[in-house]
Amino acid sequence: MLTLLGIAVVVVGFVARINPLLVVIAAALVTGLAGGMGPLEVVALFGKAFKENRYVSLLWLVLPAIGLLERYGLQERAKALIGDLKAATTGRILLLYFAIRQITSALGLTSLGGHPQMVRPLVAPMAEAAAETHGHTDDETRQKVRAMSAATDNIGLFFGEDIFIAIGSILLMVGFLQQNGIVVEPLHLSVWAIPTAIVALIVHGIRLVLFDRKLKRGAAK
Amino acid sequence: MIGLEVLYAIAGTMFAVIAALSAFDHGNAKRWKNAAFWGLFAACFLFGSHLPDLANGGIVIAMVLVAGFGGLGQGKADTTSIEQRRESAAVHRNRLFLCALIIPAVALAGTMIFKTLTFGGLHPVDPKQATLVSLVLGIILSLAVAMPMLRARPAEPLQEGRRLFDQVGWALLLPQMLAALGAVFAAAGVGEAVGALTTAWLPDGSRLAAVVTYTLGMALFTMIMGNAFAAFPVMTAGVGLPLIVLKFGGDPAIMCAIGMLSGFCGTLMTPMAANFNLVPAALLELKDKNGVIKAQVPTALILLFANTVLMYVLLFVFRF
């Protein structure tokens, strides 16, 4: 039970707003020591796992390419394109992106979206431009539109990807059940992700429509 | 065969250059801290596979100490003004999108091609890493098209990259750190402890209580671990299999599928899921670090409720 102290460290660290990197290292040390490891053993184990998970950070190689395109006006072009379309509202743009993100994720095309390569350079500027076209130039609205753009990418990804049979979480479930003597086909797991995916499409879709209404009311004031 | 090691060498080289550029950035009061941080990260990518585990651990701790106390500085960005960008956007128009979309397009095509491509029975690209290799290939191709088109100097992508790296800062390290924390938790037996604890708390007898404990437990434990993958084996071995499947005869496939999605609801509500919540907040320059989480909480709570209802209804209708 002592090993649960690490979880307490994480919770307290976040509540106290200590730098998360320090919180994670402290939680690892506390957990390892409580689990009967020596301090150097914990550092070595952490180092090994950190090294083995380097692939998680490879996505960052995209930043120089995105940064270069931003330097030459990628975001401004995205904004100009939307600014010309009166029918393009923030909610409709995000709804379109949400549906595309969810469907492509369900087909296993999870790398078609993402925050560094799609949301920052294209989706958020377009959503912002639509808000500006309809008279919202205040910073508070801009912040809300950006946050909603990031949220839309996450929700579309999470509740789409599990419909695809070869995604990591499905493989994890198949492997876990197999270890426990239950044989399940990946397809049998992925079909049961469909009901939640439909609910997600409806719920977040409605929220995006309401987001538009809220923006409209804000403009009328 | 092109696999992870090649990609690590590319990433290591890039971070080494970012470190050097940071060291020469006199506009940044904390330039040596930035240089040390990115330099250590570069070392981890370049030499990590050949270093003893303890040395890798030492590198991580050094990075955490550099960034954790007092923080990193923001470099003075040598970039274009908004007016220049508007002019450039008017000149290059939709070709800019083309360059941006090369990245996902190549990532996608490459993933499909490299998985099956063989020369004389050998894979030129490690099929397990097809997506990552294709992604990096897409980035390189995008630069190869964009740089001559924009008449960019070779240093520009790296300087612009550094501008974005400074913006994201330490948050960039968090996903990899949390993956490592998960490994320590697993080795120390945190999973077993949580499983024992939840089973001890759970009132027996009620199907509904078992389902609610499982879906809420997945969401809560995911919030703490930042990752539904870490919560899944714990909650499923502790609550799902013994109670829902063995005691009440629910279908294990339905339970697992909807259980994992309940965990994803937790991912939407926690700063621990840094790469989905904190990193985008930094990338989009939000003033509120938790702005993305706040936008997600209503959807997450409704979906968590929906998942619980769906699981309860479907489990016992479609039992095997």
Side-chain angles (χ1 to χ4, degrees), chain B residues 129-140:
Chain B
Q129 309 303 342
T131 304
L132 283 170
V133 173
S134 312
L135 177 72
V136 175
L137 194 64
I139 294 164
I140 294 169

Side-chain angles (χ1 to χ4, degrees), chain A residues 119-189:
Chain A
V119 179
R120 175 179 164 122
L122 297 171
V123 178
M126 285 180 173
E128 262 180 68
E132 278 166 22
T133 317
H134 294 86
H136 305 282
T137 45
D138 59 302
D139 194 47
E140 197 190 340
T141 306
R142 190 172 302 131
Q143 297 273 327
K144 286 228 167 74
V145 169
R146 286 182 186 178
M148 196 52 122
S149 306
T152 300
D153 186 274
N154 283 338
I155 295 164
L157 172 70
F158 290 2
F159 300 100
E161 63 172 2
D162 265 27
I163 296 175
F164 185 61
I165 52 169
I167 209 78
S169 54
I170 297 283
L171 301 179
L172 174 75
M173 287 186 252
V174 172
F176 176 84
L177 287 174
Q178 208 164 31
Q179 278 168 18
N180 287 279
I182 301 171
V183 178
V184 172
E185 290 296 317
L187 187 66
H188 197 64
L189 285 161

